[in-house]
Amino acid sequence: MAKKPNIILIFTDNQQAETLGCYGNREIHTPHLDALSAGGVTFDNAFCPNAFCSPCRASVLPGMLPSQHGVHAWLDDRRSHEWPDGWHALEGLQTLPTRLKDEGYSTALVGKYHLGESHTAAAGFDHWVTLKDGHVRSFYNNQIFDNGDT
């Protein structure tokens, strides 16, 4: 049986390709990202489905447009107290992590989620480390959830 390749998807907010060495920028040094690019797959032609981070993240995970998955704007987690307990915007949709789990992969989300409740893992993720808030309001006193621990 052939060994399955590791898959790492790095998703950043508001970062143009021109800000990375692997896309030709000679002024900004990104050696680790350049090495990942050299040893893996780098997208040469991509499109942003929406101007806000939540719909873009919601589009990548199930491979759908905002008109299909229903996340059309930034999810304001300052209003998360109004969300149903355990709410995740993509619940019930087949996503990349659920498909990878079906193929025997272990999956993880480490970093920004911003698609629903942050202290419980969304479907398909075995390992879950994220911030309480979908965006950083301060560099100090951030709550981090690590597989159920705060």
Side-chain angles (χ1 to χ4, degrees):
M1 184 162 143
K3 183 179 176 192
K4 295 179 182 194
N6 288 327
I7 299 170
I8 300 172
L9 173 63
I10 298 174
F11 194 97
T12 61
D13 284 345
N14 305 318
Q15 182 175 20
Q16 297 176 356
E18 295 96 29
T19 63
L20 298 169
C22 57
Y23 285 104
N25 189 308
R26 300 293 171 235
E27 296 175 1
I28 299 174
H29 300 283
T30 56
H32 300 295
L33 293 174
D34 298 347
L36 283 171
S37 173
V41 175
T42 301
F43 295 105
D44 294 325
N45 194 10
F47 299 90
C48 183
N50 193 292
F52 294 106
C53 64
S54 296
C56 290
R57 290 171 185 284
S59 292
V60 167
L61 292 174
M64 298 174 155
L65 293 170
S67 60
Q68 296 171 300
H69 57 64
V71 180
H72 300 279
W74 171 68
L75 297 179
D76 188 350
D77 47 25
R78 291 174 298 187
R79 302 180 70 174
S80 63
H81 61 281
E82 299 172 8
W83 300 345
D85 286 339
W87 180 73
H88 294 280
L90 302 177
E91 192 169 330
L93 297 177
Q94 188 175 51
T95 63
L96 179 61
T98 57
R99 295 209 50 194
L100 289 171
K101 278 189 67 61
D102 289 347
E103 294 297 319
Y105 279 89
S106 295
T107 60
L109 182 139
V110 179
K112 182 175 177 176
Y113 174 57
H114 213 185
L115 288 172
E117 185 175 275
S118 56
H119 65 277
T120 61
F125 289 104
D126 297 312
H127 187 76
W128 185 261
V129 181
T130 191
L131 296 171
K132 176 181 183 236
D133 299 319
H135 62 283
V136 177
R137 292 186 181 95
S138 168
F139 289 106
Y140 304 100
N141 300 317
N142 288 307
Q143 252 187 338
I144 297 175
F145 302 110
D146 184 345
N147 293 315
D149 293 329
T150 302

